[in-house]
Amino acid sequence: MAEHDLNDEFLTTQQRISLGDRALIAIAAHVEVRSVLRADPQLRGHGLYDILIGSYARRVSIWPGKDVDVFGRLNHDDVGTITPDDAYGMFDTALQPFADQRRLTPQPRSYKVDYRPGRLPGEQFLRTAAAEYGWARQRVDRVVRELDQLAFEFSVDVVPAVGWGDHYGIPEVGRNVSTGERYRTGHWRLTDPVELNRLTQVRNRAPRIGGAGAYVRTVKAIKQVKAHHLPDTKPSALFYEFLLHDGFTEGTITGASWADITASALAYVSARLHTIAERPVCDPVLHEEYQPAPPAGDLAASATALDDVARAAQRAVRASTRCQAAIEWRQVFGGNERRDQVFPLPPGCRGTGATMGATAANIAAGGTAERSFGER
Amino acid sequence: MNDEPPFDETADPELLQRFIDEIEAAGFERVEPSAWEGPTPRSLIDAGHTDSERMAIIIQPAWPYFPPLLRVPGIAAWHADQERLCIWHGEDFSQRWKTLEGIYHRIDEWIEEAKDGFAAVENARNPEIYWQEDIERVAGLVDIDAVIGGSPSDGDHDEFQFGDARSADGRPSPINVFDIERGAFRITSPLPIGLQNHRQARGRWFYRTSVPHPPRSIEEFRSFLTDKQRERLDRDLRSRPVVMYGLVWPNNAGLVATMILSIADQTGTRTDRLVVLRPTGRNALLLRAGPDAAGLQQRSVAILGAGAIGSHAAELLTRAGIGRLRLVDFDRLWPVNLVRHAAPPGTPAGTNKTDVLRDHLSQYPWAQIDVVEGALGTPSGLHQLLASADITIDGTGHAGLAELIGRVAQGNGQPVVSAALFRGGAVARVRRQALEGDTPFVQRPHLDRYPEIPPLDDELEYVGTETGCLALVHNAPPTAVTLAATLAAEVAIDHLTGRHDHPDEIIEVIRAGEPPFDQLGRLRPDDLPVTIDLTERAQDQLRELGRAALPVETGGILLGCHVDGRPVVAEVVELPDADATENHYRIPEGAAQAAVVAARERDGRVGYLGEWHSHPSGEGPSPLDVAAMLVLDADEDTTDPILVLVEPATDGQGGLDAFVTRNGRVMPASICSTGDLPSADKDEDA
């Protein structure tokens, strides 16, 4: 049990690492892309069924937000009836309106539709998205009002997919050893992000802390830790998500407070990183090893870095004062593009970890004089 | 000009020649190479100081930096050294003696002063200089207060014993005589001829509340006694072969005496010797210990760590008059320690540091010194130590221990001073935690008026270790050590005397380094970088309000209260200005105070701390901004205002710049993030 659970501060941290209004805009972009796809007769003829996948769908995305992944599943096809190239080609035609706006970038496996200030999804898509995802009207109104000022750049990745048994096939991508270029191999690759969405929801039902599922918030917390301490380092955040899924499923990651469960999760992750060779991380749906396998050197460096973080978390749960605990948690979580520190200082705490002394009332009344500032 | 005396050693031959011309024109004639004899001023004769019509002016080497001597035959007065009239203070640098007129003028002043009686402070404490009779001299060390005892009355007299005789309470006899011509005094020093041993000699003192001047001969000595005293003296001289007798009288700082040692040979012929007395004893020594010495006699100090700084602090405090000293250390003294330690050279290697200090300082008769050999690293041990003295000085140089001492002392309201050197002795710091207003040691690390002193690289900071990893040897020179010790002792005395002239932290830069330690001498608060505390919530508010108002400015006031002696901006109030532009913002009359009143409804602790407004351009304070802040500073309702400028950004990630207004200047300040104010009605850590 943590000496100081700092529950309010953990909840604030969740807010600070979450996408906030950006999530609505990202999902509205998905709605816009979806509308373009659904307008295409050829895709409709192949039984287009679009699904939001990826971290947005699993609600584990964190600030500053990454690409939105959309599955364009052709329900009338499967891996035996259509080649990846043919399926890919159909989406090229459908997404032509974005190409006309110079916002479409073909990728080996998918199409990337760019969103940037001035090209963010319009009000109708925002309202549609809000209705589907249950966003408050006032919040949508505010986003609509401030849309022109938002400095948010992202893209929507449209991934062609077909059925493959109980799962899905997406175009397989290879890499030219000599040039490093990625290319479509002409084969399908097995995947099931839809089932991963469902498993995430299931996994988030228990344990619960303060009425909220612990799993999703812990995934977001660890993604923040990874983003701060191991930016641009392989393995990716999805690798850690799979690790945490194991830890929660085994019942190894436990805790009655956010502090305890976060410390437990960090201890689990750092320990697992040292034993990946004996126990590889697997996709919880397909039970296949995480691909691409992270280089041993990167894994070792990540393990060392996260050992330090896990120790800081242990110090945090054992700290004798809430201020010292908060300073350790600030070390654990670090900052993001929006803030130097995502973990807030609790009331009565200084940035040094010291506890404030007694407050003395300030009797200064502020004066009645007019003040004039500026150039005149 | 020539190179004969007195011109051979003068500093200004031309000026000297003019002076000689002047005195020769006034009737003075050269009687010796450097002496001119001429008429005694009439006033000196009329006042009865001499009958001689002639006096001499003797020019000393280095003229005019030292005054000429005045030889006045028969002069009998205070300030007359045999036949030399002393009219110039040693401190006198007026050089009025460069003209005969100046000398005569000073003689007239002196006559007036003598007429009314010189101030007691001007009465010499070495009256033997007045002695004119040609007899042998011996030396004596005397604790005159111990000899006389109590408060004598005019005409009193009593016996005393010499040297190695012991008084009833076992203390050494308060007087020793020895032959000064044969070397410095030691207990084994030769005795005056005719004196077999101290025990053989007994003496008698005769007390007078005043004398016209110190006696110049035995006859004059006797004439200053009362009849009864004279009879008593004669009886002693008839009955004892060895008699030392002294005439004692008071001056402003105690008792002084002229003493005669009279020894009869086997034939009964007496040889009289003038005893040149040099005072010893508690009171005489205390006269040199400064004006606080008397008060400090009743005070006690514990010194934790009897190493370099601690030993010198102990010595200084003892010399200054501290009555009780407790020395705490577990360590022994080795030859290398002597370089910086107050122990005397030659201290045997391996002596406990506390023991050597106790022995060394026991020469100060007022000091009761006890030692505690051991490391007091436990709170309970520290508590006992702190409770045993009026103030404790930490001279360990151990940062952790200093903070622990501070914690223990704070909990028990016990005063402590901590002294340490930093950066290889380039910076000395003395902290006090004694008064209610002193910031506890543990609170100081996060307050910018107590700047952190960054260490040098270990190679520069230390010269190695003595016993492995535990005892790094600091590279501070002895000069830095004694300076730190002096500051520590001074701060302790400042507290013990109740003056409290010193602040609760002194930082002295001995060798300049990085800012703010780049100016030699005492670090002033104005030299320190300024930090303001801004809650994270207030920072969020400022950025968001600035962003929402784009493209024009907005602003308002900053609210908060004082915590640990410095302002914490806890709340931001926007006071919208409908006429704001991209480069101008105004708060209407009365709006600020109304906002403060409203805020106090929510939290009675908060009040006005400063102003804020946005600068979409991102520029710093404009001249109008600075002027406005200075005007606010002059108003007691808005004194020392903080200014925060927001550079708003569309993504809400605007920049914040803080400024403080002090001493007629608007200066940049850094921002320190804090949490919200602690709850007003509960302990946050409870």
Side-chain angles (χ1 to χ4, degrees):
Chain A
M1 285 283 287
E3 292 289 327
H4 303 279
D5 62 29
L6 297 174
N7 192 53
D8 291 345
E9 286 71 23
F10 269 91
L11 296 179
T12 301
T13 301
Q14 282 291 325
Q15 291 168 7
R16 290 180 172 184
I17 64 175
S18 295
L19 285 173
D21 293 344
R22 285 191 172 190
L24 176 60
I25 294 166
I27 292 168
H30 151 243
V31 172
E32 182 181 17
V33 170
R34 181 180 77 185
S35 70
V36 170
L37 294 174
R38 288 179 183 179
D40 182 74
Q42 187 182 17
L43 288 177
R44 281 208 308 272
H46 281 261
L48 175 74
Y49 181 70
D50 52 81
I51 316 161
L52 183 66
I53 60 169
S55 59
Y56 286 89
R58 298 192 301 278
R59 306 206 173 191
V60 294
S61 53
I62 63 168
W63 188 276
K66 284 175 48 177
D67 296 348
V68 181
D69 296 317
V70 177
F71 231 25
R73 199 176 88 191
L74 305 175
N75 268 350
H76 296 170
D77 298 296
D78 63 31
V79 292
T81 62
I82 191 169
T83 68
D85 285 348
D86 288 343
Y88 185 85
M90 279 190 272
F91 283 85
D92 185 73
T93 308
L95 294 168
Q96 199 55 41
F98 294 116
D100 294 344
Q101 297 169 355
R102 298 182 181 278
R103 295 168 59 195
L104 188 68
T105 307
Q107 311 270 357
R109 174 180 287 151
S110 63
Y111 287 92
K112 185 184 286 287
V113 179
D114 294 330
Y115 283 85
R116 54 184 178 271
R119 285 291 188 185
L120 295 176
E123 181 177 349
Q124 74 272 28
F125 300 117
L126 284 164
R127 297 208 181 278
T128 303
E132 284 185 26
Y133 285 82
W135 297 68
R137 182 185 177 85
Q138 294 92 325
R139 192 171 174 188
V140 180
D141 290 344
R142 186 183 65 218
V143 173
V144 168
R145 203 165 50 242
E146 298 181 348
L147 202 56
D148 292 342
Q149 295 179 21
L150 290 177
F152 183 26
E153 291 188 22
F154 64 100
S155 59
V156 174
D157 254 8
V158 181
V159 185
V162 295
W164 190 346
D166 293 336
H167 307 299
Y168 302 95
I170 58 174
E172 186 185 60
V173 172
R175 186 182 292 274
N176 185 307
V177 176
S178 56
T179 65
E181 285 183 10
R182 299 169 77 228
Y183 62 93
R184 265 192 314 285
T185 63
H187 302 290
W188 291 102
R189 182 186 160 194
L190 187 67
T191 186
D192 201 339
V194 178
E195 178 62 6
L196 187 60
N197 289 357
R198 191 188 69 80
L199 278 185
T200 299
Q201 290 174 27
V202 171
R203 184 68 275 149
N204 199 42
R205 285 178 194 151
R208 303 183 78 78
I209 296 174
Y215 174 68
V216 164
R217 289 187 177 185
T218 304
V219 168
K220 288 171 71 175
I222 301 306
K223 283 178 74 173
Q224 166 62 28
V225 171
K226 192 268 173 191
H228 179 74
H229 292 279
L230 299 164
D232 306 321
T233 304
K234 297 292 181 185
S236 69
L238 186 61
F239 175 92
Y240 291 94
E241 193 175 332
F242 289 172
L243 257 181
L244 291 166
H245 194 276
D246 280 355
F248 273 85
T249 304
E250 293 166 8
T252 312
I253 299 174
T254 59
S257 67
W258 294 114
D260 286 321
I261 207 160
T262 305
S264 173
L266 281 166
Y268 178 83
V269 168
S270 75
R272 276 290 301 275
L273 286 181
H274 287 289
T275 57
I276 290 298
E278 298 89 61
R279 187 188 171 193
V281 172
C282 292
D283 178 330
V285 178
L286 303 173
H287 305 293
E288 293 175 346
E289 272 190 43
Y290 176 87
Q291 290 295 330
D298 288 354
L299 264 181
S302 300
T304 302
L306 289 178
D307 283 348
D308 288 344
V309 178
R311 277 195 288 271
Q314 290 302 322
R315 288 196 299 272
V317 296
R318 292 178 192 143
S320 58
T321 72
R322 55 208 301 282
C323 297
Q324 287 165 357
I327 293 304
E328 297 290 356
W329 285 121
R330 281 161 82 89
Q331 170 108 2
V332 166
F333 287 112
N336 58 22
E337 290 178 8
R338 192 158 44 165
R339 302 178 159 275
D340 292 338
Q341 296 284 346
V342 295
F343 195 91
L345 288 165
C349 293
R350 295 186 177 283
T352 57
T355 303
M356 288 183 189
T359 55
N362 176 11
I363 59 169
T368 55
E370 175 191 305
R371 291 90 147 130
S372 188
F373 301 99
E375 300 301 325
R376 284 181 279 178
Chain B
M1 301 298 159
N2 58 58
D3 57 1
E4 297 295 316
F7 290 99
D8 58 339
E9 291 288 0
T10 181
D12 191 338
E14 288 184 17
L15 195 62
L16 177 57
Q17 186 60 60
R18 284 207 295 275
F19 175 70
I20 291 171
D21 292 345
E22 183 190 358
I23 62 174
E24 288 183 345
F28 280 79
E29 297 169 356
R30 193 174 197 172
V31 293
E32 293 169 24
S34 296
W36 275 256
E37 198 174 279
T40 303
R42 195 72 244 163
S43 54
L44 204 55
I45 298 169
D46 293 347
H49 290 294
T50 181
D51 297 331
S52 176
E53 297 283 344
R54 304 286 284 176
M55 63 172 271
I57 295 173
I58 303 164
I59 294 167
Q60 296 197 86
W63 191 94
Y65 292 104
F66 298 113
L69 303 175
L70 303 180
R71 188 169 63 209
V72 183
I75 190 84
W78 294 104
H79 301 173
D81 177 358
Q82 299 199 13
E83 289 194 337
R84 286 178 303 182
L85 178 62
C86 302
I87 59 173
W88 311 102
H89 281 289
E91 311 296 322
D92 191 328
F93 197 60
S94 67
Q95 296 192 356
R96 285 191 285 168
W97 51 79
K98 287 190 293 191
T99 66
L100 184 61
E101 184 187 356
I103 292 173
Y104 282 170
H105 189 256
R106 174 60 196 143
I107 288 174
D108 288 345
E109 283 180 359
W110 181 87
I111 290 167
E112 287 302 310
E113 291 165 9
K115 191 186 299 177
D116 298 335
F118 290 106
V121 71
E122 298 196 48
N123 293 347
R125 290 185 59 74
N126 49 347
E128 78 281 354
I129 65 169
Y130 296 86
W131 195 263
Q132 295 186 7
E133 190 172 6
D134 186 18
I135 59 173
E136 190 183 339
R137 297 181 179 217
V138 294
L141 301 179
V142 61
D143 179 354
I144 195 74
D145 300 291
V147 168
I148 306 301
S151 304
S153 302
D154 191 41
D156 283 355
H157 60 84
D158 205 349
E159 276 192 298
F160 60 84
Q161 276 193 308
F162 291 14
D164 57 356
R166 296 273 162 176
S167 63
D169 63 359
R171 292 173 67 85
S173 177
I175 185 163
N176 288 284
V177 288
F178 64 103
D179 186 347
I180 197 169
E181 299 301 325
R182 295 170 69 176
F185 174 77
R186 291 184 180 83
I187 200 66
T188 57
S189 295
L191 297 173
I193 292 170
L195 187 62
Q196 304 302 316
N197 56 60
H198 283 121
R199 193 177 294 278
Q200 183 187 11
R202 285 192 295 179
R204 185 173 298 278
W205 54 265
F206 301 97
Y207 183 76
R208 296 306 309 268
T209 50
S210 71
V211 291
H213 51 76
R216 292 169 297 176
S217 64
I218 289 175
E219 185 183 346
E220 197 168 67
F221 182 111
R222 293 174 61 86
S223 72
F224 290 168
L225 300 177
T226 65
D227 291 345
K228 287 189 175 177
Q229 286 175 326
R230 210 160 27 246
E231 287 170 18
R232 180 67 252 186
L233 172 60
D234 289 340
R235 261 208 313 273
D236 285 349
L237 291 171
R238 283 196 299 274
S239 61
R240 296 175 186 168
V242 178
V243 179
M244 188 152 87
Y245 55 96
L247 175 65
V248 182
W249 67 92
N251 80 349
N252 71 309
L255 302 173
V256 292
T258 294
M259 281 205 181
I260 306 296
L261 176 63
S262 177
I263 302 177
D265 63 14
Q266 290 177 337
T267 67
T269 305
R270 287 197 167 272
T271 301
D272 294 327
R273 297 182 180 90
L274 176 70
V275 184
V276 176
L277 288 175
R278 289 294 178 263
T280 179
R282 183 190 188 110
N283 290 345
L285 270 59
L286 278 174
L287 286 177
R288 310 294 174 107
D292 296 325
L296 295 177
Q297 297 277 285
Q298 313 307 321
R299 309 309 297 271
S300 58
V301 178
I303 294 189
L304 186 53
I309 291 177
S311 68
H312 285 284
E315 177 163 9
L316 289 167
L317 286 164
T318 308
R319 289 169 181 260
I322 287 293
R324 283 192 299 119
L325 199 65
R326 168 161 289 184
L327 303 169
V328 186
D329 206 315
F330 66 92
D331 205 3
R332 293 171 184 269
L333 197 71
W334 302 107
V336 291
N337 299 130
L338 287 171
V339 175
R340 293 188 292 206
H341 201 272
T347 298
T351 311
N352 284 331
K353 288 178 175 176
T354 49
D355 288 345
V356 69
L357 267 181
R358 180 190 53 204
D359 296 346
H360 177 52
L361 300 178
S362 62
Q363 64 186 296
Y364 302 99
W366 51 80
Q368 296 175 37
I369 301 169
D370 72 326
V371 301
V372 178
E373 288 172 19
L376 290 181
T378 61
S380 60
L382 286 171
H383 173 58
Q384 284 188 333
L385 171 72
L386 294 166
S388 70
D390 294 324
I391 193 167
T392 299
I393 294 179
D394 158 46
T396 62
H398 187 290
L401 187 54
E403 186 166 316
L404 176 60
I405 294 168
R407 274 184 188 276
V408 174
Q410 186 188 1
N412 298 290
Q414 294 156 324
V416 289
V417 168
S418 182
L421 287 163
F422 300 83
R423 301 181 68 78
V427 179
R429 186 182 70 193
V430 175
R431 299 183 142 175
R432 181 191 67 210
Q433 180 185 292
L435 303 178
E436 196 173 331
D438 292 352
T439 304
F441 293 168
V442 293
Q443 294 284 351
R444 298 189 191 192
H446 54 266
L447 298 178
D448 47 41
R449 67 175 184 275
Y450 306 102
E452 182 189 357
I453 305 171
L456 300 175
D457 293 340
D458 280 358
E459 290 73 16
L460 298 172
E461 192 87 77
Y462 304 106
V463 292
T465 59
E466 281 189 335
T467 54
C469 62
L470 294 178
L472 283 164
V473 181
H474 213 276
N475 193 22
T479 48
V481 167
T482 50
L483 177 61
T486 302
L487 290 172
E490 175 56 29
V491 169
I493 291 170
D494 181 60
H495 175 71
L496 292 171
T497 55
R499 279 196 296 272
H500 300 121
D501 289 336
H502 287 293
D504 66 354
E505 180 154 317
I506 291 172
I507 292 177
E508 189 83 12
V509 179
I510 303 165
R511 292 194 305 275
E514 299 294 314
F517 311 105
D518 53 344
Q519 301 289 324
L520 293 179
R522 191 68 51 86
L523 196 68
R524 299 171 307 161
D526 283 355
D527 298 329
L528 299 174
V530 181
T531 304
I532 65 159
D533 288 330
L534 201 54
T535 63
E536 291 186 329
R537 183 193 303 274
Q539 294 179 47
D540 290 347
Q541 285 179 301
L542 287 164
R543 292 191 175 97
E544 175 54 24
L545 291 168
R547 184 199 67 77
L550 281 172
V552 300
E553 290 190 5
T554 187
I557 59 170
L558 306 169
L559 301 172
C561 59
H562 292 85
V563 182
D564 302 323
R566 89 179 190 197
V568 177
V569 177
E571 195 173 328
V572 171
V573 176
E574 184 183 32
L575 300 172
D577 172 16
D579 299 323
T581 69
E582 291 175 2
N583 56 18
H584 186 259
Y585 165 76
R586 186 184 70 90
I587 296 178
E589 185 178 336
Q593 197 161 78
V596 174
V597 170
R600 285 205 180 119
E601 295 286 320
R602 299 187 293 275
D603 186 342
R605 296 172 299 176
V606 302
Y608 171 88
L609 285 178
E611 310 281 321
W612 72 274
H613 63 275
S614 59
H615 273 187
S617 66
E619 292 180 359
S622 68
L624 187 59
D625 293 344
V626 171
M629 296 308 292
L630 295 179
V631 168
L632 289 168
D633 189 29
D635 184 336
E636 64 179 13
D637 277 340
T638 53
T639 191
D640 295 338
I642 294 165
L643 172 65
V644 173
L645 295 180
V646 186
E647 183 187 356
T650 53
D651 63 359
Q653 312 305 303
L656 302 177
D657 290 309
F659 304 85
V660 293
T661 315
R662 278 189 188 169
N663 304 325
R665 290 190 297 158
V666 175
M667 301 184 296
S670 51
I671 293 172
C672 181
S673 295
T674 73
D676 289 343
L677 290 178
S679 170
D681 56 3
K682 66 170 184 175
D683 178 354
E684 295 290 351
D685 264 328

